[in-house]
Amino acid sequence: MTAALEITNLRKSFGQTEIIRGVDLQIMPGERHAVIGPNGAGKSTLFNLITGRFPQTAGVVALHGHDLKGKAPYEINRMGLSRSFQITNIFPKMTVFENVRCSLLWSMGYRYSFWNMVARSRALNEGAEAILEQINLQRRRDIPAGMLSYAEQRALEIGITIAGGADVIMLDEPTAGMSHSETDYIMDLIRDVTEGKTLVMVEHDMGVVFGLADRISVLVYGEIIATGTPTDVRANPRVQEAYLGAALEAEH
Amino acid sequence: MTDTTHNTHSDVLAGSGLTLAKALPWLIASAFLLVMPFVFTSNSAITIMNQMAITIIFALSYNMLLGQGGMLSFGHAVYMGVGGFLCVHIMNWDQFFGTLPLPVLPIFGGLFGMGLALIVGSFSTRRAGTVFAMISLGVGELIAACSVIIVVFFGGEEGISGDRTYGLPFFGIEFLQQIEVYYLTAFWLVLSALGMFLFSRTPVGRMANAVRDNPERAEFLGYSARWVRFYSFVASGFFAGIAGGLFAINYEILTEENLNLATSGSILLVTFLGGVGFFFGPVIGAIVFTLLQTVLSLQTELWALYVGALFVATVMFFPGGLAGVLMMHTPPLVLGKLHLLVKPYIKTLLPAAICILATAGFIEILFHARHAAIGDDQMTLFWMTFSHANPVPWIAFGAVALGGFWLARRNAPELVETWHEANTDTGARP
């Protein structure tokens, strides 16, 4: 079986500084994988390299066995990879419903059509309604997305990310800045909407990480120091030394 | 709250077909266009309405870029201009024009505008923001400069002129009368506005909004922001060209003025004044601006000063434009509280209007005192004739301006308070 996402010796330098220093990672289809690590370890950079936001300095990122080198974000998205952002990244002036509907357009084959009316496509509108129901925002469907509460915007962000039907979903700190109850809600939501899909997430909240992930990678100073099941990672002495012990203590 | 969500929900499911509610604004607008010449019968009024219709199409096409696609263009007059120039050339090409009914002519302007937009858009739409704005400015200047260089197409400084009546008679109509041209223009206005509205409802039109709001996110949804901008740009060039064709039919002459930066700047002003956030915003902007430009300019030499002040006030206080101000009243209307606003509006806005008129009067006297020919001290203002050397009018206008300002100031807090109340859902709805 080909890995959903396979990263080989990935490197990224900004000027003299090497941020990602040779990352190898294999994520199988259907796996829920979390990347954890201290601040500044390069987690978001790793995400940006995978999704084509920045070009890599060296190494290979392959999605279902296809090299992603030199591909623009929209091309990578069309190949079945979708991502959310650490800082909420929605269409603030458009309604919640429009946000979701726009994220369905490409995957439903509309491309750059200027001869179809979006309001006339039943599949499109029902699809958007279904996503809204999944992220529990039907009641807010007609207000501009910029006016949603923070947690709602995060939920919408996840909705937009999964709407296109991509089979590899990457979430960058989906619960950042949330209260406990909001975190629980988002965690359930993520579990629901990524059913049967490959999930890669960066997360700081250890509760979310250990509750959701099948496997965990620990990134420290641009290198993965351990990959394995939550139990293995928790028990790994290097991880404890470098990061997890401190993080777990901070949790309590 | 629950039942409102419910209503809109069923609206959308029912909204897959053409409903009367959706067609109604268009039917009313069309009927309005049909009736207007019977209300305003004079030739000059019809000329003003033609000018308005052309400006509406042009402003709507401009808003495809600014409002819908987030592209600030400083050179949009170019696309209207070249479309117009081509149409005049077709008018002068006897063998071909003799076989062409005049109402078809704007299509050629549209296609030519679109062709130019296709070329310019291929490199200018890579980025939005400052880069796009600067390229549009450069291209605008370049083509305006070409008008004195490529004399064979642009006719140099005096421009080129033609005669619309040489076309193939259209059901016996030769378009000798202004009124015939009016209906031709009105027909194209409805057709173009509908075309642009429907474009905004297509997948690429929807994505134009998405790219405007957040180009990066749009890329992560599978759309290249650049190509989405490109399609909007090309469509916008087409409709600007249509406006140019209508201009050619109306005035039968095009000059460098039709594609220079001043014209490009004024369409930005018109669009912003009307409001970029709503489809119908530029329509209001074009109507108000044309009225100011034609009617106000007959009354005062200083009309441009007042339009400028209006524009600055709009940008500073009502960034949503006139359409935004209108639409601000939707929540009170939905809550059934619009009537609360009537009294405070009269109490605040009437003194404010008086203050503005009196200030304008004061400026007019000042202008007359400074610039009138020596010995000519008589002037007429608001149906009163007096001498600018007389101190009474100065004092009177100054006092009325200050008084109006004081009254408006005094009553403004009440308006603000009522405004908040009218926008608050107290739940006591019938």
Side-chain angles (χ1 to χ4, degrees):
Chain A
M1 190 155 72
T2 351
L5 199 61
E6 182 155 21
I7 298 164
T8 324
N9 192 28
L10 187 66
R11 288 174 185 277
K12 176 69 185 176
S13 309
F14 290 103
Q16 292 291 314
T17 330
E18 196 168 42
I19 302 293
I20 299 292
R21 305 186 299 165
V23 165
D24 292 284
L25 189 62
Q26 207 180 35
I27 297 166
M28 301 310 285
E31 181 179 327
R32 291 200 176 105
H33 197 103
V35 179
I36 62 172
N39 282 329
K43 302 183 297 291
S44 285
T45 308
L46 180 63
F47 254 50
N48 290 335
L49 290 177
I50 295 172
T51 54
R53 208 181 182 193
F54 308 149
Q56 71 256 48
T57 310
V60 179
V61 178
L63 179 70
H64 301 302
H66 302 284
D67 189 359
L68 298 183
K69 191 170 173 64
K71 293 237 187 317
Y74 62 90
E75 292 170 299
I76 295 174
N77 180 270
R78 292 173 197 172
M79 292 167 70
L81 183 145
S82 182
R83 72 165 291 182
S84 76
F85 292 81
Q86 189 176 348
I87 298 159
T88 306
N89 214 342
I90 52 176
F91 305 113
K93 285 191 231 154
M94 290 158 56
T95 65
V96 174
F97 179 73
E98 283 284 358
N99 267 266
V100 176
R101 189 162 67 179
C102 275
S103 55
L104 282 167
L105 285 172
W106 190 274
S107 61
M108 288 210 168
Y110 284 100
R111 305 171 68 90
Y112 298 104
S113 158
F114 49 86
W115 51 89
N116 294 94
M117 294 287 124
V118 285
R120 283 176 169 261
S121 163
R122 225 189 157 79
L124 193 60
N125 291 296
E126 283 172 2
E129 294 289 351
I131 302 275
L132 276 187
E133 201 173 317
Q134 228 172 351
I135 57 176
N136 202 12
L137 287 178
Q138 302 110 299
R139 285 168 55 100
R140 316 286 267 163
R141 75 189 286 278
D142 292 315
I143 67 168
M147 285 169 67
L148 292 177
S149 76
Y150 181 70
E152 286 171 329
Q153 291 195 6
R154 298 300 299 180
L156 178 62
E157 169 103 39
I158 292 173
I160 294 174
T161 309
I162 56 141
D167 52 5
V168 178
I169 307 286
M170 302 189 56
L171 304 178
D172 194 352
E173 297 201 22
T175 69
M178 285 193 172
S179 70
H180 272 295
S181 58
E182 288 168 342
T183 303
D184 290 345
Y185 161 65
I186 291 287
M187 202 166 118
D188 289 340
L189 176 65
I190 294 172
R191 192 176 291 126
D192 273 3
V193 297
T194 58
E195 194 62 52
K197 292 177 177 171
T198 312
L199 170 70
V200 188
M201 59 189 275
V202 165
E203 184 53 66
H204 272 298
D205 188 317
M206 289 305 135
V208 176
V209 170
F210 286 104
L212 269 177
D214 304 322
R215 291 208 306 150
I216 296 173
S217 293
V218 185
L219 189 70
V220 178
Y221 296 118
E223 282 173 308
I224 290 187
I225 60 165
T227 298
T229 62
T231 339
D232 291 347
V233 168
R234 210 194 284 262
N236 186 317
R238 276 190 76 195
V239 175
Q240 296 215 330
E241 182 193 339
Y243 170 62
L244 203 54
L248 280 176
E249 256 161 46
E251 276 289 298
H252 295 291
Chain B
M1 185 68 216
T2 330
D3 51 16
T4 46
T5 8
H6 211 83
N7 282 343
T8 42
H9 187 87
S10 49
D11 258 8
V12 162
L13 290 184
S16 42
L18 186 68
T19 57
L20 185 65
K22 277 191 204 164
L24 202 59
W26 296 94
L27 293 176
I28 293 174
S30 307
F32 197 66
L33 284 171
L34 279 177
V35 173
M36 282 305 270
F38 295 101
V39 182
F40 299 99
T41 46
S42 74
N43 252 340
S44 62
I46 289 171
T47 306
I48 292 175
M49 289 192 285
N50 285 350
Q51 170 71 34
M52 245 178 224
I54 294 167
T55 314
I56 290 173
I57 300 176
F58 188 29
L60 282 173
S61 86
Y62 185 76
N63 204 38
M64 287 179 92
L65 300 181
L66 183 62
Q68 311 277 346
M71 288 172 269
L72 174 62
S73 167
F74 290 121
H76 202 54
V78 165
Y79 306 95
M80 174 171 168
V82 295
F85 273 102
L86 183 88
C87 286
V88 179
H89 280 294
I90 293 178
M91 282 185 200
N92 289 331
W93 182 14
D94 293 337
Q95 294 108 321
F96 178 62
F97 192 47
T99 63
L100 185 78
L102 191 70
V104 183
L105 186 63
I107 283 271
F108 292 93
L111 290 176
F112 202 68
M114 186 165 101
L116 182 64
L118 211 72
I119 298 167
V120 176
S122 67
F123 58 86
S124 74
T125 55
R126 263 175 234 210
R127 297 252 172 277
T130 315
V131 178
F132 177 85
M134 296 317 286
I135 293 177
S136 73
L137 185 67
V139 170
E141 180 71 346
L142 183 87
I143 292 179
C146 280
S147 63
V148 286
I149 299 166
I150 311 175
V151 178
V152 70
F153 186 74
F154 295 106
E157 271 171 23
E158 65 267 37
I160 55 164
S161 50
D163 189 332
R164 64 175 176 242
T165 57
Y166 292 165
L168 186 71
F170 180 69
F171 294 110
I173 302 167
E174 287 182 56
F175 297 97
L176 286 160
Q177 310 278 333
Q178 274 296 84
I179 184 77
E180 293 163 348
V181 177
Y182 169 82
Y183 281 112
L184 185 158
T185 313
F187 165 77
W188 273 103
L189 168 60
V190 173
L191 204 65
S192 313
L194 196 62
M196 286 185 261
F197 180 76
L198 292 179
F199 181 87
S200 74
R201 263 58 192 164
T202 61
V204 76
R206 297 282 79 201
M207 284 314 291
N209 286 3
V211 166
R212 168 201 70 195
D213 274 14
N214 194 340
E216 181 170 50
R217 195 61 169 110
E219 294 246 327
F220 284 99
L221 295 179
Y223 279 88
S224 154
R226 181 210 172 161
W227 288 113
V228 171
R229 283 191 209 105
F230 177 75
Y231 281 106
S232 298
F233 191 79
V234 171
S236 171
F238 176 77
F239 289 109
I242 297 267
L246 292 170
F247 188 96
I249 291 174
N250 254 286
Y251 295 95
E252 299 177 303
I253 179 165
L254 268 106
T255 62
E256 184 265 348
E257 205 180 295
N258 294 108
L259 32 79
N260 66 14
L261 293 180
T263 310
S264 295
S266 80
I267 201 63
L268 164 63
L269 199 148
V270 167
T271 309
F272 205 92
L273 182 67
V276 296
F278 298 93
F279 180 80
F280 65 91
V283 178
I284 302 178
I287 292 172
V288 171
F289 183 82
T290 314
L291 276 180
L292 291 176
Q293 192 186 26
T294 52
V295 179
L296 192 63
S297 68
L298 290 179
Q299 305 298 323
T300 165
E301 284 177 66
L302 296 176
W303 71 277
L305 175 76
Y306 303 126
V307 173
L310 178 65
F311 181 61
V312 173
T314 309
V315 174
M316 286 177 67
F317 303 113
F318 303 104
L322 297 172
V325 173
L326 276 180
M327 295 308 278
M328 265 164 65
H329 294 84
T330 316
L333 183 71
V334 170
L335 294 173
K337 289 182 166 183
L338 206 56
H339 62 278
L340 291 179
L341 289 168
V342 175
K343 223 174 91 191
Y345 266 178
I346 294 174
K347 280 169 78 176
T348 311
L349 298 186
L350 193 65
I354 289 171
C355 166
I356 291 166
L357 286 176
T359 311
F362 193 85
I363 293 170
E364 291 290 331
I365 303 175
L366 184 67
F367 182 73
H368 196 268
R370 298 287 300 162
H371 294 274
I374 296 166
D376 170 27
D377 64 344
Q378 290 297 308
M379 62 182 291
T380 304
L381 200 62
F382 300 124
W383 307 279
M384 296 175 284
T385 304
F386 48 81
S387 159
H388 69 235
N390 184 347
V392 178
W394 293 78
I395 296 167
F397 276 108
V400 171
L402 288 175
F405 182 72
W406 178 76
L407 258 179
R409 239 349 243 278
R410 203 196 63 169
N411 294 335
E414 187 191 333
L415 174 61
V416 173
E417 202 175 297
T418 322
W419 176 257
H420 284 304
E421 196 195 326
N423 276 285
T424 320
D425 189 356
T426 41
R429 254 189 301 159

